[in-house]
Amino acid sequence: MTREVFTRLVRKELPSLRRFLLAACSGNKDEADDVAQEALMKAYMASSHFEDEAGFSPWLYRIACNSLTDHQRKQTSHGIAIDINKVHEVADDSRSNDSFAYQELYCAIEGLNVSERTAVLLFYMEDRPIKEVAAIMNIAEGTVKAYLSRGREHLRTKLSK
């Protein structure tokens, strides 16, 4: 894949990829941007071996999901964790109306395990078909359906409180 083709395909996917990562990072824009940058760098480095333009989107999302998992694993191993209680302190910021409009949902999504969160965000937020979610996550379609079912139930429980 040439640099020009890669750039064109990334420009097409970037808004939805950033939206996905922002939700996966519980609204933390800086963290989402870090993961996106890491994923795009990895994708660019591997792009010379990738020729399937039609399969670019799932391929890029798989790299992003793996980068997100690596990023979260690094944070956990370094003892870095997001304190959800700090959200209320930051909400007093003048940008709070825009930045925290969906914070309750982000907090509920944060409570899902990584597999449920990824499946829910890809399926519901990014409108990816189950078959594509399964390809991105490298799991069976039935497993995606199970993650979606459990994720919906967990979200329903958390948001009804």
Side-chain angles (χ1 to χ4, degrees), residues 1 11 24 28 31 34 41 58 68 77 97 106 113 118-119 122 133:
M1 173 176 300
R11 282 193 178 130
N28 184 330
E31 184 179 6
D34 288 347
M41 184 180 66
L68 179 63
S77 70
N97 290 342
Y106 287 147
N113 71 42
T118 303
L122 288 171
V133 174

Side-chain angles (χ1 to χ4, degrees), residues 139-158:
I139 56 176
E141 290 180 34
T143 307
V144 171
K145 292 176 185 177
Y147 287 151
L148 290 172
S149 177
R150 280 183 275 181
R152 278 191 306 267
E153 187 57 37
H154 290 139
L155 286 173
R156 191 176 295 120
T157 301
K158 289 174 190 297

Side-chain angles (χ1 to χ4, degrees), residues 14 17-18 20-22 24-25 28-43 60-73 75:
L14 195 55
L17 181 69
R18 291 189 75 225
F20 164 73
L21 290 172
L22 183 63
C25 293
N28 184 330
K29 185 180 181 303
D30 294 332
E31 184 179 6
D33 287 344
D34 288 347
V35 174
Q37 183 177 8
E38 184 178 333
L40 291 172
M41 184 180 66
K42 288 178 181 178
L60 181 61
Y61 270 82
R62 179 180 280 178
I63 292 171
C65 287
N66 290 340
S67 296
L68 179 63
T69 301
D70 291 345
H71 180 79
Q72 290 172 338
R73 191 175 295 133
Q75 283 189 323

